[in-house]
Amino acid sequence: QRGTKTPAGWAHAKTECSETSVVEFFDRRQGAGTVAALRAELPDVTIGESGASATVSKALSLADAPDEELLPLERARQEFLALAQAAYLSPAITASQSPQLPPPKQGQQFVAPTWRLRNFTLDGSLSDMKALAAPLGLPGLRVSKISFVGTRAKVEGTLYGN
């Protein structure tokens, strides 16, 4: 986390977190410092083609998810909804196709997965991150992206179940 969100007078537009990186987005506003001034404060910055935007990326290395006993998909969906609604959130859940799995190596048998999945999105206020995180502890739930814009947060991911 940076001490200032307006390096060289550039406006912090948003932050996005995924499984592989954290990216901060900046926009040059009127009266802001030059690209050189921004680079002096953020040496690892990547400047957009026009010089009006910039990003700073940091790679992440996450541990593998633990093995979990999956809930039946309908029960997992209902528990997710109940937790989100108790936190006054309005989640969006959409059906999703199971990902295409690579073919088995020659001589190996392929065992089709028994799990099914649903994609989800949660939008909430940064003023109550605890409420936003409440539904995220369910077994089989994986967060793929978190975005922060102003005082809002958006969490995207997948809910797995049998």
Side-chain angles (χ1 to χ4, degrees):
Q1 186 175 18
R2 304 200 182 282
T4 177
K5 289 296 182 185
T6 58
W10 287 54
H12 179 261
K14 65 180 176 177
T15 301
E16 291 184 352
C17 305
S18 71
E19 294 126 340
T20 58
S21 66
V22 175
V23 183
E24 290 184 281
F25 295 80
F26 296 93
D27 294 323
R28 187 170 188 266
R29 57 184 171 194
Q30 188 170 357
T34 64
V35 167
L38 180 63
R39 186 166 300 286
E41 287 193 42
L42 301 173
D44 53 347
V45 70
T46 300
I47 306 297
E49 285 296 318
S50 69
S53 63
T55 58
V56 177
S57 299
K58 181 177 179 177
L60 293 178
S61 176
L62 301 179
D64 290 337
D67 286 336
E68 298 172 310
E69 204 52 49
L70 295 179
L71 299 173
L73 185 59
E74 183 58 20
R75 181 172 159 212
R77 185 184 69 83
Q78 289 179 18
E79 287 194 24
F80 176 76
L81 288 171
L83 287 167
Q85 291 170 349
Y88 301 101
L89 301 171
S90 298
I93 298 177
T94 57
S96 179
Q97 296 291 326
S98 294
Q100 204 56 6
L101 299 176
K105 294 180 182 174
Q106 190 170 359
Q108 291 183 334
Q109 284 285 32
F110 179 73
V111 178
T114 59
W115 45 262
R116 297 178 297 150
L117 56 100
R118 297 288 184 266
N119 293 327
F120 73 87
T121 303
L122 281 175
D123 286 298
S125 171
L126 291 178
S127 64
D128 194 358
M129 286 300 291
K130 188 174 182 179
L132 191 60
L136 304 181
L138 285 172
L141 189 138
R142 300 292 179 266
V143 173
S144 57
K145 182 178 178 183
I146 303 175
S147 303
F148 301 98
V149 179
T151 61
R152 306 289 299 169
K154 181 178 182 180
V155 180
E156 300 172 61
T158 306
L159 180 60
Y160 293 89
N162 287 318

